[in-house]
Amino acid sequence: MNLFSRFFRSASPGALVAALLFSSFSAEAGGPLVRNVPVSPDVVKPSVQGVTEYKVTLPASIAETKPKFAFQVYKEGLYTYSFPGSSTFVLNFHTTKKFDPASLNPSSISVNLKYFKDGKLKGQELISGKFVKANSDDPPTTPSTILRWKSDQTSWTSTCTGSPDSFCRIDVSLYDTLLSENGEKLDGDGDGTPGGHYRHTFTRGMQTP
């Protein structure tokens, strides 16, 4: 029995493990026991992989803040009341902001009616009227987003609709002397800045162009 065999038979388990580890390291041709392997700069650490971009979530009070907008007319309507005792036209303008009632006067609007029969112009008239409250003949006194104008009594309400070969064209101009409750001029031309007259055309009748 040689010396190496005697050592393995008499050595403790811990000593045997140490001997085996030493023999495996010494098997490398003169190399160090520990090597520092350089890491490529292109290697991404596992903890960084799959990370998504961080997005800031604004509070609801900030996220829902609406941009400023001009004082404009965004919807218009014409109503004809031609039954006995109430032959009138009523115009409704819906505005993006409340208007100032003190800025209203007869020169704030013009309503020009043209009557056509058999496709030819037969007559025209500048219709008179006034701004009123809802379901009333009194002038508006409080700011609102619905601007109402009611014509005086006129026979045009029945003339425009009483024949299959006639119609009326009603050209409306609302001037930028109309102000919002904050003193902003009407943006009638829709360019996003205060100022500019608003114009719209309605037709009434059995025949339209």
Side-chain angles (χ1 to χ4, degrees):
M1 182 181 294
N2 57 30
L3 181 62
F4 191 73
S5 299
R6 290 178 183 178
F7 172 78
F8 271 90
R9 294 187 64 180
S10 62
S12 65
L16 288 174
V17 172
L20 290 174
L21 289 174
F22 178 78
S23 63
S24 64
F25 283 125
S26 62
E28 299 184 18
L33 295 180
V34 179
R35 290 184 177 181
N36 293 322
V37 180
V39 178
S40 170
D42 297 330
V43 175
V44 179
K45 294 181 179 180
S47 60
V48 181
Q49 293 179 356
V51 175
T52 57
E53 181 182 358
Y54 177 73
K55 295 183 179 180
V56 178
T57 302
L58 297 176
S61 59
I62 298 177
E64 295 178 0
T65 300
K66 296 181 180 179
K68 293 182 179 180
F69 52 88
F71 174 44
Q72 297 176 342
V73 174
Y74 71 89
K75 183 180 179 182
E76 58 287 307
L78 170 66
Y79 302 90
T80 307
Y81 298 95
S82 57
F83 53 87
S86 182
S87 298
T88 59
F89 294 110
V90 176
L91 295 170
N92 282 347
F93 302 100
H94 297 254
T95 57
T96 56
K97 297 180 180 181
K98 293 182 178 181
F99 65 85
D100 178 11
S103 68
L104 298 175
N105 57 69
S107 62
S108 299
I109 190 173
S110 68
V111 182
N112 186 33
L113 184 145
K114 294 182 178 181
Y115 174 67
F116 293 84
K117 187 175 178 61
D118 296 325
K120 297 180 181 180
L121 178 63
K122 295 296 184 179
Q124 61 180 320
E125 182 180 337
L126 192 62
I127 303 297
S128 58
K130 60 183 178 181
F131 293 101
V132 296
K133 295 179 181 179
N135 302 317
S136 171
D137 287 335
D138 296 330
T141 55
T142 57
S144 174
T145 56
I146 302 179
L147 180 65
R148 296 174 179 86
W149 181 89
K150 183 178 181 180
S151 75
D152 295 334
Q153 296 288 325
T154 175
S155 61
W156 288 116
T157 57
S158 57
T159 303
C160 292
T161 59
S163 174
D165 57 0
S166 65
F167 70 93
C168 289
R169 191 182 80 186
I170 303 172
D171 298 318
V172 180
S173 296
L174 192 63
Y175 300 107
D176 61 8
T177 53
L178 175 64
L179 304 178
S180 71
E181 63 177 340
N182 296 324
E184 181 182 3
K185 279 189 172 184
L186 176 70
D187 174 22
D189 54 11
D191 66 353
T193 58
H197 306 320
Y198 171 82
R199 305 183 192 279
H200 189 79
T201 297
F202 298 96
T203 57
R204 278 293 182 271
M206 302 300 293
Q207 182 190 56
T208 56

